[in-house]
Amino acid sequence: MTLEKHSLVQEFPEYRERIHQLKTTDHHFARLFAEYHDVDHEVYRIEQGTEVSSDDYLEQRKKLRLKLKDDLFSAIQG
């Protein structure tokens, strides 16, 4: 299985400029973006085997990543 990171710009390349604008002008968006980035990297490290965790913990982190992505996408569109 090929593991990949899910950066927000990679997920929504058509919104690259809007994401950059929001990161620099909207503190709430910037905080959510940073949290998404941290969770995404944590999930990636766990899936790679660099970090060890339970399956339940990994699933919780994936669900959090998805919720953050949904919240960020709503802000991008808003």
Side-chain angles (χ1 to χ4, degrees):
M1 169 170 64
T2 302
L3 302 176
E4 60 184 61
K5 294 181 182 177
H6 295 267
S7 78
L8 200 61
V9 173
Q10 191 176 23
E11 294 287 316
F12 307 115
E14 65 276 19
Y15 294 107
R16 176 184 301 270
E17 290 179 28
R18 176 81 173 137
I19 292 168
H20 177 71
Q21 174 199 17
L22 287 168
K23 278 181 12 184
T24 58
T25 62
D26 184 323
H27 295 296
H28 179 69
F29 184 90
R31 184 186 59 77
L32 289 177
F33 182 89
E35 185 177 358
Y36 176 85
H37 178 77
D38 291 345
V39 172
D40 183 49
H41 281 274
E42 181 182 16
V43 168
Y44 182 75
R45 290 188 306 266
I46 292 168
E47 289 178 337
Q48 270 193 317
T50 306
E51 291 184 19
V52 179
S53 80
S54 68
D55 289 342
D56 288 341
Y57 180 79
L58 177 58
E59 286 306 310
Q60 288 173 4
R61 300 310 280 175
K62 286 181 175 182
K63 287 177 184 178
L64 175 58
R65 179 177 65 183
L66 183 58
K67 183 194 179 318
L68 289 167
K69 184 166 77 171
D70 288 346
D71 292 347
L72 288 162
F73 188 66
S74 291
I76 291 166
Q77 290 187 314

